[in-house]
Amino acid sequence: MCVMAAETLLPSASPVRFVAEDGTRADQHGAYAEPPERLLKEAYRLMVLGRRFDVQATALTKQGRLAVYPSSAGQEACQVAAALTLNEHDWLFPTYRDSVALVARGLKPGEVLTLLRGDAHCGYNPAETRVAPQCTPLATQALHAAGLAHAMQRRGEDAVALALIGDGATSEGDFHEALNFAAVFKAPAVFFVQNNRYAISVPFEKQSAAAALAYKGIGYGMRSEQVDGNDAVAVLAVLGDAVKHAREGRGPVLVEAHTYRIDSHTNADDATRYREAGEVEKWREADPLKRLETYLKGRKALQENEIEQFKADAETFAQSVRDALNAEPELDPMSLFDHVYAEPTRQLEAQRAMVHAELEA
Protein backbone atom coordinates (compact mmCIF):
# COMPACT_ATOMS: atom_id res chain seq x y z
CA MET A 1 0.00 0.00 0.00
CA CYS A 2 1.38 3.39 -0.90
CA VAL A 3 1.73 6.16 1.67
CA MET A 4 -0.96 8.25 -0.02
CA ALA A 5 -3.48 5.40 0.19
CA ALA A 6 -2.61 4.71 3.83
CA GLU A 7 -3.19 8.34 4.74
CA THR A 8 -6.74 8.19 3.41
CA LEU A 9 -7.51 5.43 5.92
CA LEU A 10 -6.29 7.30 9.00
CA PRO A 11 -8.81 8.47 11.59
CA SER A 12 -9.02 12.11 12.64
CA ALA A 13 -6.17 13.16 14.95
CA SER A 14 -8.71 13.79 17.72
CA PRO A 15 -12.26 12.44 18.09
CA VAL A 16 -14.81 14.10 15.82
CA ARG A 17 -17.01 16.47 17.81
CA PHE A 18 -19.85 18.91 17.10
CA VAL A 19 -21.00 19.63 20.67
CA ALA A 20 -18.90 20.31 23.77
CA GLU A 21 -19.69 18.90 27.23
CA ASP A 22 -21.64 22.04 28.15
CA GLY A 23 -23.87 21.79 25.11
CA THR A 24 -22.26 24.59 23.12
CA ARG A 25 -21.03 24.27 19.54
CA ALA A 26 -17.61 22.67 19.03
CA ASP A 27 -16.10 22.87 15.56
CA GLN A 28 -13.94 19.76 15.60
CA HIS A 29 -15.64 17.82 12.86
CA GLY A 30 -13.65 18.44 9.70
CA ALA A 31 -15.69 17.83 6.58
CA TYR A 32 -18.50 15.94 8.32
CA ALA A 33 -21.91 17.52 7.80
CA GLU A 34 -24.26 18.05 10.72
CA PRO A 35 -27.28 15.71 10.62
CA PRO A 36 -30.69 17.31 9.96
CA GLU A 37 -32.58 18.74 12.91
CA ARG A 38 -35.40 16.20 12.65
CA LEU A 39 -32.90 13.37 13.08
CA LEU A 40 -31.34 15.05 16.13
CA LYS A 41 -34.75 15.44 17.76
CA GLU A 42 -35.59 11.81 17.06
CA ALA A 43 -32.27 10.80 18.57
CA TYR A 44 -33.07 12.86 21.67
CA ARG A 45 -36.50 11.23 21.98
CA LEU A 46 -35.03 7.76 21.73
CA MET A 47 -32.25 8.59 24.18
CA VAL A 48 -34.85 9.68 26.75
CA LEU A 49 -36.73 6.44 26.10
CA GLY A 50 -33.55 4.39 26.23
CA ARG A 51 -32.36 5.83 29.53
CA ARG A 52 -35.73 5.14 31.16
CA PHE A 53 -35.67 1.61 29.76
CA ASP A 54 -32.18 1.12 31.18
CA VAL A 55 -33.23 2.29 34.66
CA GLN A 56 -36.30 0.07 34.55
CA ALA A 57 -34.36 -3.00 33.44
CA THR A 58 -31.84 -2.47 36.25
CA ALA A 59 -34.68 -2.28 38.76
CA LEU A 60 -36.14 -5.52 37.42
CA THR A 61 -32.93 -7.37 38.28
CA LYS A 62 -33.45 -6.38 41.92
CA GLN A 63 -36.97 -7.77 41.76
CA GLY A 64 -35.79 -11.10 40.38
CA ARG A 65 -37.49 -10.55 37.03
CA LEU A 66 -34.19 -10.41 35.16
CA ALA A 67 -31.26 -12.73 35.77
CA VAL A 68 -28.73 -10.08 34.79
CA TYR A 69 -28.65 -6.71 33.07
CA PRO A 70 -25.60 -4.97 31.56
CA SER A 71 -26.42 -1.25 31.72
CA SER A 72 -25.56 1.08 28.87
CA ALA A 73 -26.15 4.26 30.89
CA GLY A 74 -23.90 6.95 29.46
CA GLN A 75 -23.69 5.23 26.10
CA GLU A 76 -27.13 6.23 24.80
CA ALA A 77 -25.74 8.38 21.97
CA CYS A 78 -23.93 5.35 20.55
CA GLN A 79 -26.85 3.00 21.05
CA VAL A 80 -29.43 5.23 19.41
CA ALA A 81 -27.17 6.35 16.56
CA ALA A 82 -26.44 2.72 15.66
CA ALA A 83 -30.17 2.13 15.18
CA LEU A 84 -30.96 5.40 13.42
CA THR A 85 -28.23 5.18 10.78
CA LEU A 86 -29.53 1.86 9.45
CA ASN A 87 -32.53 1.31 7.21
CA GLU A 88 -35.02 -1.56 7.49
CA HIS A 89 -33.01 -3.77 5.13
CA ASP A 90 -29.72 -3.39 7.01
CA TRP A 91 -28.57 -5.77 9.73
CA LEU A 92 -27.58 -4.95 13.31
CA PHE A 93 -25.26 -7.27 15.26
CA PRO A 94 -25.52 -6.38 18.97
CA THR A 95 -23.75 -7.51 22.11
CA TYR A 96 -25.32 -8.22 25.49
CA ARG A 97 -24.92 -4.51 26.42
CA ASP A 98 -26.86 -3.17 23.46
CA SER A 99 -30.46 -3.60 24.57
CA VAL A 100 -31.14 0.13 24.15
CA ALA A 101 -30.04 -0.11 20.50
CA LEU A 102 -32.61 -2.87 20.00
CA VAL A 103 -35.32 -0.78 21.64
CA ALA A 104 -34.36 2.13 19.36
CA ARG A 105 -34.58 -0.26 16.43
CA GLY A 106 -38.21 -0.87 17.37
CA LEU A 107 -38.12 -4.29 19.03
CA LYS A 108 -40.55 -5.03 21.86
CA PRO A 109 -39.02 -4.86 25.37
CA GLY A 110 -40.18 -8.35 26.30
CA GLU A 111 -38.44 -9.75 23.24
CA VAL A 112 -35.27 -7.77 23.90
CA LEU A 113 -35.00 -8.96 27.51
CA THR A 114 -35.72 -12.64 26.84
CA LEU A 115 -32.02 -13.49 26.81
CA LEU A 116 -31.24 -11.54 29.98
CA ARG A 117 -34.22 -13.09 31.72
CA GLY A 118 -32.82 -16.52 30.96
CA ASP A 119 -35.84 -17.77 29.02
CA ALA A 120 -34.16 -18.37 25.64
CA HIS A 121 -31.08 -17.44 23.65
CA CYS A 122 -33.12 -14.91 21.65
CA GLY A 123 -36.62 -13.54 22.04
CA TYR A 124 -37.19 -12.20 18.53
CA ASN A 125 -36.96 -13.42 14.95
CA PRO A 126 -33.61 -12.23 13.49
CA ALA A 127 -34.75 -12.79 9.90
CA GLU A 128 -37.81 -10.56 10.39
CA THR A 129 -36.17 -7.84 12.48
CA ARG A 130 -32.78 -7.90 10.72
CA VAL A 131 -31.23 -7.95 14.19
CA ALA A 132 -28.90 -10.81 15.06
CA PRO A 133 -29.20 -12.45 18.50
CA GLN A 134 -27.45 -10.47 21.24
CA CYS A 135 -23.97 -11.90 21.47
CA THR A 136 -22.45 -12.82 24.82
CA PRO A 137 -19.06 -14.25 23.69
CA LEU A 138 -16.72 -11.39 22.86
CA ALA A 139 -16.25 -10.46 19.20
CA THR A 140 -17.97 -13.46 17.61
CA GLN A 141 -20.67 -11.12 16.27
CA ALA A 142 -17.97 -9.29 14.28
CA LEU A 143 -17.34 -12.46 12.28
CA HIS A 144 -21.06 -12.97 11.80
CA ALA A 145 -21.43 -9.41 10.52
CA ALA A 146 -18.51 -9.76 8.12
CA GLY A 147 -19.83 -13.03 6.76
CA LEU A 148 -23.38 -11.83 6.31
CA ALA A 149 -22.22 -8.57 4.74
CA HIS A 150 -20.19 -10.55 2.20
CA ALA A 151 -23.16 -12.84 1.52
CA MET A 152 -25.48 -9.87 0.91
CA GLN A 153 -22.85 -8.37 -1.36
CA ARG A 154 -22.67 -11.57 -3.44
CA ARG A 155 -26.46 -11.68 -3.71
CA GLY A 156 -26.54 -8.11 -4.92
CA GLU A 157 -28.52 -6.85 -1.93
CA ASP A 158 -28.41 -3.14 -1.11
CA ALA A 159 -27.77 -3.60 2.61
CA VAL A 160 -25.13 -3.01 5.27
CA ALA A 161 -24.21 -4.98 8.40
CA LEU A 162 -23.29 -2.97 11.49
CA ALA A 163 -21.56 -4.75 14.37
CA LEU A 164 -21.57 -3.22 17.84
CA ILE A 165 -18.35 -4.08 19.66
CA GLY A 166 -16.93 -3.33 23.11
CA ASP A 167 -13.34 -2.22 23.67
CA GLY A 168 -12.49 -5.50 25.38
CA ALA A 169 -13.55 -7.43 22.28
CA THR A 170 -10.82 -5.74 20.21
CA SER A 171 -8.31 -7.94 22.06
CA GLU A 172 -9.97 -11.08 20.71
CA GLY A 173 -8.77 -12.91 17.63
CA ASP A 174 -12.27 -12.97 16.14
CA PHE A 175 -12.26 -9.17 15.93
CA HIS A 176 -9.09 -9.12 13.85
CA GLU A 177 -10.18 -12.00 11.62
CA ALA A 178 -13.46 -10.19 10.93
CA LEU A 179 -11.71 -6.96 9.99
CA ASN A 180 -9.26 -8.74 7.73
CA PHE A 181 -11.97 -10.74 5.94
CA ALA A 182 -14.26 -7.73 5.49
CA ALA A 183 -11.44 -5.56 4.16
CA VAL A 184 -10.15 -8.17 1.70
CA PHE A 185 -13.61 -8.71 0.22
CA LYS A 186 -14.72 -5.07 0.60
CA ALA A 187 -17.77 -6.29 2.47
CA PRO A 188 -20.42 -3.65 3.25
CA ALA A 189 -19.83 -3.73 6.99
CA VAL A 190 -19.32 -1.16 9.73
CA PHE A 191 -17.54 -2.17 12.93
CA PHE A 192 -18.60 0.21 15.69
CA VAL A 193 -16.44 0.01 18.82
CA GLN A 194 -17.94 1.57 21.94
CA ASN A 195 -14.81 2.21 23.97
CA ASN A 196 -16.33 2.68 27.42
CA ARG A 197 -12.89 2.52 29.08
CA TYR A 198 -13.31 -0.83 30.84
CA ALA A 199 -13.45 -4.48 29.84
CA ILE A 200 -15.25 -5.52 33.04
CA SER A 201 -12.56 -4.48 35.58
CA VAL A 202 -9.66 -4.01 33.16
CA PRO A 203 -9.04 -0.35 32.20
CA PHE A 204 -8.28 0.59 28.63
CA GLU A 205 -4.61 1.33 29.24
CA LYS A 206 -4.10 -2.30 30.28
CA GLN A 207 -5.87 -3.61 27.19
CA SER A 208 -4.05 -1.85 24.36
CA ALA A 209 -0.99 0.30 23.76
CA ALA A 210 -2.57 1.82 20.64
CA ALA A 211 -3.07 5.58 20.61
CA ALA A 212 -6.72 4.81 19.83
CA LEU A 213 -8.54 1.64 18.88
CA ALA A 214 -9.51 3.28 15.59
CA TYR A 215 -5.93 2.82 14.41
CA LYS A 216 -6.37 -0.95 14.45
CA GLY A 217 -8.20 -0.76 11.14
CA ILE A 218 -5.21 0.66 9.27
CA GLY A 219 -3.28 -2.61 9.33
CA TYR A 220 -6.10 -4.28 7.44
CA GLY A 221 -6.46 -1.57 4.83
CA MET A 222 -9.72 -0.39 6.33
CA ARG A 223 -10.92 3.19 6.55
CA SER A 224 -11.10 4.20 10.23
CA GLU A 225 -12.46 7.03 12.36
CA GLN A 226 -12.79 8.07 15.99
CA VAL A 227 -15.62 10.10 17.46
CA ASP A 228 -16.73 11.61 20.75
CA GLY A 229 -19.20 8.90 21.75
CA ASN A 230 -21.07 11.20 24.14
CA ASP A 231 -21.81 13.71 21.38
CA ALA A 232 -24.93 12.37 19.65
CA VAL A 233 -24.57 14.87 16.80
CA ALA A 234 -21.06 13.66 16.03
CA VAL A 235 -21.89 9.97 16.35
CA LEU A 236 -24.83 10.31 13.97
CA ALA A 237 -22.66 12.20 11.48
CA VAL A 238 -19.74 9.77 11.58
CA LEU A 239 -21.80 6.57 11.63
CA GLY A 240 -24.07 7.88 8.89
CA ASP A 241 -21.06 8.59 6.71
CA ALA A 242 -19.55 5.16 7.49
CA VAL A 243 -22.77 3.35 6.55
CA LYS A 244 -22.97 5.37 3.32
CA HIS A 245 -19.34 4.49 2.52
CA ALA A 246 -20.02 0.78 3.01
CA ARG A 247 -23.32 0.86 1.14
CA GLU A 248 -21.67 2.43 -1.91
CA GLY A 249 -19.31 -0.53 -2.19
CA ARG A 250 -16.20 1.33 -1.04
CA GLY A 251 -15.40 -1.19 1.66
CA PRO A 252 -15.90 -1.60 5.41
CA VAL A 253 -15.28 1.06 8.06
CA LEU A 254 -14.03 0.88 11.64
CA VAL A 255 -15.41 3.55 13.98
CA GLU A 256 -14.31 3.99 17.58
CA ALA A 257 -16.57 5.97 19.93
CA HIS A 258 -14.93 7.36 23.08
CA THR A 259 -17.57 6.98 25.78
CA TYR A 260 -17.94 5.69 29.34
CA ARG A 261 -19.84 3.02 31.24
CA ILE A 262 -21.45 4.92 34.13
CA ASP A 263 -22.82 1.88 35.97
CA SER A 264 -21.12 -1.38 36.86
CA HIS A 265 -20.38 -4.03 34.23
CA THR A 266 -23.63 -5.75 35.23
CA ASN A 267 -25.79 -5.78 38.34
CA ALA A 268 -23.54 -8.62 39.58
CA ASP A 269 -20.43 -6.40 39.45
CA ASP A 270 -19.05 -3.94 42.02
CA ALA A 271 -17.27 -1.23 40.02
CA THR A 272 -16.10 0.57 43.19
CA ARG A 273 -13.44 -2.13 43.53
CA TYR A 274 -11.56 -0.99 40.45
CA ARG A 275 -12.40 2.67 39.75
CA GLU A 276 -12.72 5.88 41.74
CA ALA A 277 -15.98 7.74 42.29
CA GLY A 278 -14.39 10.96 41.05
CA GLU A 279 -13.73 9.38 37.67
CA VAL A 280 -17.39 8.44 37.31
CA GLU A 281 -18.56 11.92 38.31
CA LYS A 282 -16.26 13.48 35.73
CA TRP A 283 -17.92 11.46 33.00
CA ARG A 284 -21.40 12.24 34.32
CA GLU A 285 -20.66 15.83 33.39
CA ALA A 286 -20.29 14.66 29.78
CA ASP A 287 -23.77 13.09 29.87
CA PRO A 288 -24.80 12.57 26.22
CA LEU A 289 -28.51 13.14 26.90
CA LYS A 290 -28.06 16.43 28.75
CA ARG A 291 -25.51 17.58 26.17
CA LEU A 292 -27.89 17.05 23.25
CA GLU A 293 -30.80 18.60 25.14
CA THR A 294 -28.82 21.76 25.90
CA TYR A 295 -27.63 21.98 22.30
CA LEU A 296 -31.11 21.64 20.81
CA LYS A 297 -32.64 24.09 23.29
CA GLY A 298 -29.89 26.59 22.48
CA ARG A 299 -30.87 26.36 18.81
CA LYS A 300 -34.55 26.68 19.76
CA ALA A 301 -35.11 23.28 18.16
CA LEU A 302 -36.47 21.70 21.35
CA GLN A 303 -39.18 23.12 23.60
CA GLU A 304 -39.94 22.38 27.25
CA ASN A 305 -43.34 20.92 26.40
CA GLU A 306 -41.68 18.49 23.99
CA ILE A 307 -39.20 17.41 26.66
CA GLU A 308 -42.04 16.76 29.11
CA GLN A 309 -43.93 14.79 26.47
CA PHE A 310 -40.90 12.63 25.71
CA LYS A 311 -40.47 11.93 29.43
CA ALA A 312 -44.15 11.04 29.78
CA ASP A 313 -43.90 8.70 26.81
CA ALA A 314 -40.85 7.10 28.40
CA GLU A 315 -42.83 6.47 31.61
CA THR A 316 -45.57 4.81 29.61
CA PHE A 317 -42.95 2.69 27.90
CA ALA A 318 -41.43 1.74 31.26
CA GLN A 319 -44.86 0.50 32.34
CA SER A 320 -44.98 -1.71 29.26
CA VAL A 321 -41.58 -3.10 30.21
CA ARG A 322 -42.85 -3.93 33.72
CA ASP A 323 -45.99 -5.52 32.32
CA ALA A 324 -44.00 -7.68 29.91
CA LEU A 325 -41.56 -8.87 32.54
CA ASN A 326 -44.16 -9.39 35.29
CA ALA A 327 -46.06 -11.83 33.10
CA GLU A 328 -44.94 -15.41 33.64
CA PRO A 329 -43.37 -16.81 30.46
CA GLU A 330 -44.87 -19.81 28.72
CA LEU A 331 -41.89 -21.98 27.94
CA ASP A 332 -41.89 -25.15 25.84
CA PRO A 333 -39.07 -27.52 26.85
CA MET A 334 -39.22 -29.12 23.41
CA SER A 335 -38.12 -25.83 21.85
CA LEU A 336 -34.62 -26.73 23.07
CA PHE A 337 -34.28 -28.79 19.91
CA ASP A 338 -35.44 -26.09 17.50
CA HIS A 339 -32.89 -24.22 15.38
CA VAL A 340 -29.98 -26.51 16.34
CA TYR A 341 -29.52 -27.90 12.83
CA ALA A 342 -31.36 -27.15 9.59
CA GLU A 343 -31.78 -30.93 9.25
CA PRO A 344 -31.91 -32.67 12.67
CA THR A 345 -29.33 -35.43 13.14
CA ARG A 346 -30.22 -38.92 14.36
CA GLN A 347 -28.64 -38.13 17.71
CA LEU A 348 -30.72 -34.96 18.08
CA GLU A 349 -33.90 -36.82 17.17
CA ALA A 350 -33.09 -39.48 19.77
CA GLN A 351 -32.54 -36.81 22.42
CA ARG A 352 -35.79 -35.11 21.45
CA ALA A 353 -37.66 -38.39 21.80
CA MET A 354 -36.10 -39.06 25.20
CA VAL A 355 -37.09 -35.64 26.58
CA HIS A 356 -40.57 -35.96 25.11
CA ALA A 357 -41.02 -39.36 26.82
CA GLU A 358 -39.85 -37.93 30.15
CA LEU A 359 -42.32 -35.04 29.89
CA GLU A 360 -45.17 -37.40 29.05
CA ALA A 361 -44.35 -39.77 31.91
Side-chain angles (χ1 to χ4, degrees):
M1 180 183 295
C2 67
V3 174
M4 182 66 73
E7 288 178 347
T8 65
L9 305 177
L10 287 169
S12 301
S14 59
V16 175
R17 173 188 278 197
F18 281 79
V19 184
E21 283 86 350
D22 62 0
T24 59
R25 180 78 177 189
D27 293 318
Q28 300 169 14
H29 48 81
Y32 288 101
E34 180 169 337
E37 188 175 284
R38 59 171 179 75
L39 185 60
L40 299 182
K41 287 186 68 172
E42 177 62 5
Y44 176 79
R45 183 187 73 82
L46 288 172
M47 287 168 68
V48 171
L49 191 76
R51 177 157 297 181
R52 186 63 186 89
F53 170 85
D54 196 88
V55 170
Q56 185 61 70
T58 299
L60 287 167
T61 64
K62 299 175 183 179
Q63 299 167 15
R65 288 295 179 179
L66 283 180
V68 65
Y69 183 71
S71 171
S72 59
Q75 299 179 220
E76 291 91 351
C78 297
Q79 298 275 300
V80 168
L84 286 180
T85 52
L86 299 178
N87 66 36
E88 62 180 356
H89 301 294
D90 296 329
W91 274 82
L92 181 67
F93 286 79
T95 73
Y96 54 84
R97 195 178 301 283
D98 300 315
S99 295
V100 169
L102 273 61
V103 168
R105 180 81 165 162
L107 273 67
K108 297 178 181 178
E111 297 175 339
V112 172
L113 296 173
T114 293
L115 168 67
L116 302 173
R117 192 178 189 181
D119 293 342
H121 289 302
C122 184
Y124 49 87
N125 186 328
E128 292 180 358
T129 59
R130 311 288 273 193
V131 177
Q134 286 181 276
C135 192
T136 301
L138 297 186
T140 55
Q141 78 280 9
L143 285 171
H144 302 159
L148 184 62
H150 182 51
M152 293 190 297
Q153 178 187 55
R154 293 195 57 147
R155 290 197 296 257
E157 295 183 24
D158 179 21
V160 173
L162 189 152
L164 290 162
I165 301 166
D167 50 289
T170 65
S171 298
E172 298 288 330
D174 285 355
F175 170 78
H176 297 275
E177 292 171 19
L179 262 61
N180 189 60
F181 180 94
V184 167
F185 290 99
K186 291 189 179 297
V190 175
F191 301 96
F192 185 34
V193 179
Q194 296 174 84
N195 182 357
N196 64 19
R197 314 309 297 174
Y198 286 92
I200 307 183
S201 60
V202 182
F204 174 72
E205 57 269 19
K206 291 187 178 180
Q207 299 178 57
S208 176
L213 293 174
Y215 287 97
K216 291 184 180 290
I218 306 305
Y220 300 107
M222 183 181 297
R223 181 189 162 197
S224 306
E225 188 56 278
Q226 57 177 330
V227 62
D228 182 339
N230 285 23
D231 176 0
V233 181
V235 181
L236 283 166
V238 169
L239 267 190
D241 185 77
V243 169
K244 180 176 181 289
H245 180 97
R247 194 185 307 282
E248 292 175 348
R250 294 187 284 162
V253 183
L254 172 65
V255 176
E256 176 192 9
H258 297 270
T259 184
Y260 192 79
R261 190 192 78 215
I262 294 295
D263 291 336
S264 297
H265 177 65
T266 69
N267 55 293
D269 173 44
D270 180 8
T272 63
R273 297 177 61 185
Y274 54 82
R275 65 184 189 186
E276 300 293 331
E279 176 183 306
V280 179
E281 289 307 311
K282 172 189 172 184
W283 278 91
R284 284 188 190 278
E285 296 175 4
D287 178 11
L289 182 55
K290 184 63 178 177
R291 190 191 297 197
L292 181 58
E293 178 182 309
T294 302
Y295 181 67
L296 290 175
K297 287 172 67 176
R299 295 182 52 180
K300 302 187 184 306
L302 184 66
Q303 308 303 318
E304 287 295 337
N305 65 314
E306 293 177 297
I307 295 173
E308 292 307 313
Q309 185 60 58
F310 292 156
K311 289 180 179 179
D313 292 343
E315 287 302 324
T316 301
F317 185 75
Q319 181 62 57
S320 74
V321 176
R322 293 193 294 273
D323 292 343
L325 272 293
N326 284 333
E328 293 297 332
E330 297 181 5
L331 303 178
D332 178 13
M334 298 305 296
S335 66
L336 285 169
F337 303 96
D338 296 340
H339 312 298
V340 180
Y341 294 106
E343 297 292 335
T345 63
R346 285 181 297 172
Q347 293 89 341
L348 190 65
E349 292 287 14
Q351 293 168 12
R352 186 203 300 267
M354 181 181 68
V355 172
H356 179 73
E358 291 179 356
L359 291 173
E360 293 295 311

